[in-house]
Amino acid sequence: MKTRNNDESAADRIWRFFASVRLSVVLLLTLAATSIIGTLIPQNADPAAYERKFGQPLYTIFEALNLFDMYRSWWFRLLLCLLIANLVVCSVRRLKSTWKTIFPKKPTYQTERFRKSSGRIQWQVEKAQPGDLKQTLEPYIRSRLGNVSVKNPESQGGVLIFGEKGRWTRLGVYAVHFSVLLLMTGALIGSIFGYEGQMNVPEGEARKQFSLTNTNQSKELDFEVRCDEFEVSHYPSGRPKDYRSDIAIVENGEVVRQHELRVNDPLTHRGVTMYQSTYGKTPGEKLTVVLTESATGDKHEKTISIGETIEMPGGKSELTIEDYSDSFAFRGHNIGPAFLARLVPESGRATPVLLPVEHPSFDRMRRGDYEISVKDVDFRYYTGLQIKQDPGVPVVYAGFLIMIIGCYITFFMSHRKMCVELQPEDTGTRISVAGISTRNRMGTKSAVKKLSRKIENLTSKT
């Protein structure tokens, strides 16, 4: 039964905790389970959609647990940090013994392992002595394998030439470990310092401020994004076929870059990537409000701007155009572009008024003293851009590259030892070539055959 030293320091206990393989398993299973949750629960959607789907009680709990933006939550970042620390400690702990294997002070060779090798090849060279063959073969084997050791076996007059190659390939698994560290570090950097948002840029205008996704906050870019031209094409059914935006990047009043932005052709500038995500129409500065008396049919027209308030005929109430939607949903139906207004009488509560541009008689359902509609709206297109910055992407790309290299070293390269034995016979010398490897035995056998053919060619000229 193992007992632990009660005098163990806090640092030693922390080190042993992070060096635990059990901790690795628990963290990996926890991350896998939370990733499944993140897949089942759509991330960064509209809060109202979450509330409709899960109900108020579950919505409150999920919101408190940050399950709607899970990959940016504090607890998910903590799990990644714990796994990073665990992987570093485990790697450092095991690297010490591996390092001694890779860089030994004096390499050792077990002759019997080579003699029992299944891929061993033997043949005899007539009228040749082991010492003479050694002078011919040692330089060649040294040029092929680098690290060569020559020994005399127990049998008198014999020679053993040992060579090896690829000790360093044992570090391949640590390259994979390092790549995983880079991937997780890149994810953390993107989670903490990255951002994502939406920017609507009207045609002919420039913007630098955008709204962050699922927050009430906004952020400004270090440059302006100007939409010089927007173009959309449609199928015969009216469905959009393709749309593009001619974008100009403006810095200090000068255009520094231009790009034709399409859905699958984003633009990256100063680490900020802009995607063509949507488009729509936005009204101009002025529009005409038509006030039709319900009793007489008389019409009154007034020019107004969004946010402006006008006095209704008779002076008993005021009308304010508060907002605009380019695609308004009314009772589950899309009624197209619409203005949102508010009618405030002298006494009484304010009444919301919906004014669809394509349905001028819509307000008749309200049954008020006046039927309100809008006309002469000067629409222009705007391009909707998804703004995204993830400073961890270069780190993630480096991690993928190192992982590919590490996997190639780990699975396709190996530490290989070769032995050429020169044993004297009555009529000459018996040559034996054998090899052993940590893995890839078929490749080792092929290397033994190749080395044997070369040695046979060299000894035939002796």
Side-chain angles (χ1 to χ4, degrees):
M1 180 176 179
K2 295 182 179 179
T3 59
R4 290 177 180 169
N5 189 357
N6 293 329
D7 297 332
E8 187 179 33
S9 66
D12 291 335
R13 287 195 294 269
I14 293 174
W15 179 267
R16 191 178 71 251
F17 171 77
F18 282 107
S20 170
V21 176
R22 184 180 299 176
L23 176 63
S24 304
V25 174
V26 171
L27 289 174
L28 289 172
L29 290 177
T30 304
L31 285 171
T34 54
S35 298
I36 292 173
I37 295 174
T39 303
L40 296 177
I41 298 178
Q43 300 293 291
N44 300 310
D46 185 11
Y50 288 133
E51 193 167 357
R52 288 193 301 268
K53 182 175 182 179
F54 299 108
Q56 183 60 42
L58 277 180
Y59 170 78
T60 304
I61 296 173
F62 290 170
E63 177 69 17
L65 294 174
N66 290 329
L67 294 184
F68 301 134
D69 192 10
M70 192 184 72
Y71 301 109
R72 294 179 183 272
S73 63
W74 65 268
W75 56 265
F76 192 83
R77 293 170 180 172
L78 177 61
L79 288 174
L80 287 180
C81 289
L82 289 174
L83 186 58
I84 289 173
N86 174 246
L87 187 58
V88 169
V89 172
C90 288
S91 298
V92 170
R93 186 181 182 185
R94 288 160 177 77
L95 182 60
K96 185 177 180 180
S97 59
T98 305
W99 197 262
K100 292 180 180 179
T101 303
I102 297 174
F103 303 104
K105 294 181 180 179
K106 187 177 181 181
T108 59
Y109 301 93
Q110 297 177 352
T111 307
E112 289 303 316
R113 288 192 63 190
F114 292 99
R115 289 174 176 170
K116 294 178 181 179
S117 173
S118 60
R120 187 182 183 201
I121 298 177
Q122 300 182 72
W123 72 95
Q124 187 168 337
V125 178
E126 301 291 339
K127 299 179 182 179
Q129 296 300 315
D132 298 331
L133 294 177
K134 169 184 171 295
Q135 300 299 323
T136 302
L137 298 180
E138 183 182 351
Y140 172 73
I141 296 175
R142 193 177 298 276
S143 67
R144 288 287 304 273
L145 300 177
N147 190 10
V148 171
S149 177
V150 180
K151 294 184 178 181
N152 295 321
E154 306 81 17
S155 54
Q156 188 176 4
V159 176
L160 288 172
I161 304 175
F162 295 103
E164 63 177 339
K165 191 175 184 180
R167 279 185 178 267
W168 63 272
T169 59
R170 294 176 182 267
L171 293 174
V173 66
Y174 293 97
V176 176
H177 288 184
F178 183 61
S179 69
V180 174
L181 289 177
L182 288 180
L183 292 175
M184 291 189 293
T185 302
L188 277 176
I189 293 173
S191 173
I192 297 172
F193 301 105
Y195 56 78
E196 185 175 342
Q198 187 73 23
M199 173 191 288
N200 294 334
V201 186
E203 190 175 16
E205 295 187 16
R207 294 283 189 274
K208 64 187 307 184
Q209 190 175 52
F210 64 96
S211 301
L212 294 174
T213 302
N214 293 326
T215 67
N216 295 323
Q217 300 176 351
S218 61
K219 189 177 180 67
E220 279 195 359
L221 298 173
D222 296 331
F223 51 88
E224 289 186 320
V225 181
R226 190 179 72 200
C227 178
D228 292 332
E229 184 180 359
F230 180 84
E231 183 176 310
V232 58
S233 58
H234 297 83
Y235 289 105
S237 63
R239 193 162 52 92
K241 180 179 181 181
D242 184 35
Y243 50 96
R244 64 169 182 83
S245 306
D246 290 339
I247 297 296
I249 304 299
V250 181
E251 295 182 359
N252 300 321
E254 296 184 0
V255 176
V256 298
R257 192 171 180 182
Q258 292 180 306
H259 185 79
E260 185 181 81
L261 201 66
R262 293 180 180 271
V263 173
N264 295 319
D265 187 16
L267 168 65
T268 300
H269 184 71
R270 289 194 176 186
V272 179
T273 302
M274 289 155 277
Y275 300 87
Q276 177 75 75
S277 62
T278 185
Y279 71 94
K281 290 183 178 181
T282 183
E285 294 184 359
K286 298 292 183 179
L287 64 141
T288 301
V289 175
V290 180
L291 307 171
T292 305
E293 294 187 30
S294 300
T296 63
D298 294 339
K299 295 181 180 294
H300 307 269
E301 296 185 358
K302 294 188 177 183
T303 302
I304 190 174
S305 302
I306 295 179
E308 187 179 346
T309 300
I310 59 172
E311 189 177 277
M312 298 289 287
K316 295 182 179 181
S317 57
E318 293 180 338
L319 179 71
T320 304
I321 304 294
E322 294 186 326
D323 203 355
Y324 168 79
S325 172
D326 63 343
S327 181
F328 193 88
F330 179 76
R331 295 180 180 177
H333 299 280
N334 186 354
I335 59 176
F339 289 89
L340 307 177
R342 180 166 51 92
L343 186 62
V344 182
E346 287 182 336
S347 59
R349 299 177 60 182
T351 303
V353 180
L354 180 62
L355 304 175
V357 177
E358 299 174 358
H359 306 279
S361 60
F362 184 88
D363 189 52
R364 188 178 302 169
M365 295 186 297
R366 188 172 54 85
R367 299 181 181 276
D369 295 335
Y370 288 89
E371 179 185 324
I372 307 172
S373 62
V374 294
K375 70 174 187 177
D376 299 335
V377 183
D378 183 19
F379 285 105
R380 54 178 172 163
Y381 279 107
Y382 71 84
T383 180
L385 306 179
Q386 182 185 15
I387 308 297
K388 188 173 183 179
Q389 185 184 47
D390 190 347
V393 168
V395 181
V396 172
Y397 285 164
F400 276 121
L401 179 61
I402 294 175
M403 179 173 284
I404 293 171
I405 296 173
C407 288
Y408 180 82
I409 293 173
T410 301
F411 296 108
F412 296 98
M413 302 180 71
S414 62
H415 175 206
R416 182 178 296 163
K417 294 182 179 180
M418 307 292 284
C419 175
V420 178
E421 183 176 2
L422 308 176
Q423 187 68 29
E425 298 284 347
D426 293 338
T427 59
T429 299
R430 177 168 51 85
I431 300 177
S432 301
V433 180
I436 56 176
S437 176
T438 54
R439 55 183 173 273
N440 191 13
R441 294 182 179 180
M442 294 301 296
T444 303
K445 289 183 179 180
S446 176
V448 169
K449 291 179 181 179
K450 186 176 180 181
L451 180 61
S452 300
R453 286 195 297 268
K454 185 62 180 180
I455 291 175
E456 192 171 359
N457 291 334
L458 290 173
T459 55
S460 64
K461 300 176 184 178
T462 304

